[in-house]
Amino acid sequence: MEDPLSDLANNLGHIDIEEHEKDIELLQQITVDVDRLFPGEDFFHDLENSNTLHRRRQIVEILYVWAKCNPTVGYKQGLHEILGLVYWNLYKESLNQEGYATNTLSAEEANILNLYNINYICHDAFIIFNKFILSSGIATSFYESETRLADLIEKFNVYLMKVDQFIHYTLSTKLHLESQLWVIRFLRLILLRELGDDLETTMLLWDKLISSEPANCTGPELSHMVELIYFITIHLLIQQKVDIVSSDFSDCLSLLLHYPIPKFPSPTQREAFVNNLFHDSLKLFSKRRHDIKLYEYGVRLNNKYNPGLKISITYRSSSELSDSARSSIDSINSFNNFSVTSRRDSNTERAEKMRFEKKRLEMRLKKKAQLMIKP
């Protein structure tokens, strides 16, 4: 007669083995990503320094524990870069207290010193990382569900069309450059790679993003950091508008994946760049529920960053242009005459024209209505 308890034990053992194998795969994935973290930075890659491997190991441990504590999100590639920057900043501020004569300190001074104790860096990094990506809505918005991420990318596209119709038209209609190909990295990494190799620029922007959160924010539903990232991204696109509208598909994709942040000769110039970027993006965010105001501020930004750019779009019938639509772009700064011809099926071309003209008409009507109701 078979022992039913032996079958139960075998099943439990099988489950444990499967779970163990999943844990090993998770650790391997995290380790591979952490080994490639911020290439070129000696803090993570100077193997002659005995502390380098220890730092990597601590980051792996934090990510593994966090993934096990948050199974609905789990570990996704990109989280290691966010944690890496948090850990790096904490490490620079931490103190090794072995050489301190703590017996000469008051209780209050000892408590303050303990805040910077390097022995607690894993605990501190875990708490700050957890609070940052959960309370801001970053984890639930950009990492938890691909469906949710796709919906938010569509929302970004709507905002882009309201702020700058021509950039939206160029990317989505003329070049057929889907936002999923490039904007996911902007969103998931909180613009970490888009602000250049100098991580100080990213740190300055993150400080402003965190400080802009409402004081009574208790959950991701109250956070506005996600939408602020939308408008910062749109602002960066406007700064590169001339190159975007004059590029073909491959050049434009390359530009978006390797955003050309200028080199800052001094910290003052870096801070001024971040301040302008954040201030203008915050203005866009504040007008997000008013289409006309959003459009008008987009015009102001274009006048600020592209003062010599003049764009005209002309639609013609297929009989006039042999199934092609021509966009002419004149810029007194960079080019005088630029034309791009893209082949379209006549029905597709007509549908594109109707959608674009419909949106332009709606914007004009809204603006006229607003002017009429002004006192």
Side-chain angles (χ1 to χ4, degrees), residues 47-93:
L47 298 181
E48 295 182 0
N49 188 329
S50 59
N51 291 324
T52 300
L53 290 178
H54 179 65
R55 296 166 191 157
R56 288 191 195 174
R57 191 178 299 113
Q58 286 185 323
I59 294 175
V60 170
E61 290 175 0
I62 295 169
L63 288 170
Y64 176 78
V65 173
W66 189 89
K68 298 296 288 184
C69 292
N70 297 273
T72 56
V73 179
Y75 173 76
K76 302 286 195 314
Q77 193 175 52
L79 292 175
H80 68 297
E81 296 195 33
I82 298 175
L83 174 62
L85 194 55
V86 171
Y87 179 92
W88 193 358
N89 276 276
L90 286 176
Y91 194 94
K92 289 191 295 184
E93 297 177 352

Side-chain angles (χ1 to χ4, degrees), residues 158-353:
V158 172
Y159 280 139
L160 176 59
M161 182 171 61
K162 291 178 179 179
V163 176
D164 195 307
Q165 297 175 8
F166 195 70
I167 292 180
H168 179 269
Y169 167 79
T170 300
L171 295 177
S172 63
T173 303
K174 191 181 86 172
L175 299 180
H176 294 284
L177 181 53
E178 297 293 336
S179 298
Q180 287 85 343
L181 294 176
W182 60 274
V183 81
I184 290 178
R185 194 177 75 181
F186 280 65
L187 302 178
R188 281 188 164 176
L189 297 184
I190 322 175
L191 304 162
L192 194 153
R193 293 189 189 177
E194 280 58 52
L195 296 179
D197 297 330
D198 182 5
L199 296 176
E200 290 291 336
T201 308
T202 304
M203 295 176 199
L204 285 174
L205 181 62
W206 282 15
D207 284 344
K208 292 187 176 297
L209 282 171
I210 294 170
S211 64
S212 70
E213 284 292 284
N216 60 347
C217 179
T218 58
E221 69 279 2
L222 299 178
S223 171
H224 59 232
M225 187 183 295
V226 169
E227 291 196 326
L228 257 177
I229 296 172
Y230 293 158
F231 291 112
I232 294 173
T233 302
I234 292 171
H235 188 287
L236 292 173
L237 294 181
I238 291 175
Q239 290 191 31
Q240 298 297 323
K241 184 172 183 175
V242 170
D243 290 334
I244 289 173
V245 300
S246 62
S247 300
D248 59 17
F249 180 93
S250 59
D251 289 340
C252 188
L253 181 59
S254 177
L255 182 146
L256 294 173
L257 294 179
H258 306 88
Y259 190 87
I261 285 290
K263 299 293 183 181
F264 303 108
S266 68
T268 304
Q269 290 177 306
R270 181 193 298 114
E271 188 172 353
F273 172 83
V274 173
N275 286 340
N276 288 331
L277 175 64
F278 186 76
H279 175 267
D280 288 336
S281 302
L282 196 59
K283 285 284 189 180
L284 288 171
F285 171 79
S286 67
K287 304 175 189 301
R288 67 192 184 282
R289 293 189 176 92
H290 305 281
D291 291 355
I292 296 299
K293 292 182 179 180
L294 201 57
Y295 170 77
E296 290 174 344
Y297 201 78
V299 172
R300 287 183 58 184
L301 290 179
N302 272 288
N303 292 335
K304 177 180 179 181
Y305 293 103
N306 306 294
L309 182 64
K310 182 180 179 182
I311 298 174
S312 62
I313 305 176
T314 304
Y315 289 97
R316 299 179 184 175
S317 65
S318 57
S319 60
E320 292 177 303
L321 286 178
S322 303
D323 296 331
S324 65
R326 179 171 297 132
S327 299
S328 62
I329 303 149
D330 301 313
S331 172
I332 63 174
N333 286 338
S334 58
F335 46 88
N336 293 322
N337 295 303
F338 173 81
S339 63
V340 178
T341 303
S342 55
R343 298 193 176 277
R344 296 284 189 272
D345 177 81
S346 59
N347 292 332
T348 304
E349 182 186 38
R350 192 177 299 110
E352 291 171 355
K353 174 183 175 181

Side-chain angles (χ1 to χ4, degrees), residues 10 19 27 44 67 100 119 162 204 220 223 255 271 276 361:
N10 291 333
E19 189 68 25
L27 274 172
F44 295 105
Y100 285 86
N119 293 326
K162 291 178 179 179
L204 285 174
S223 171
L255 182 146
E271 188 172 353
N276 288 331
L361 180 60

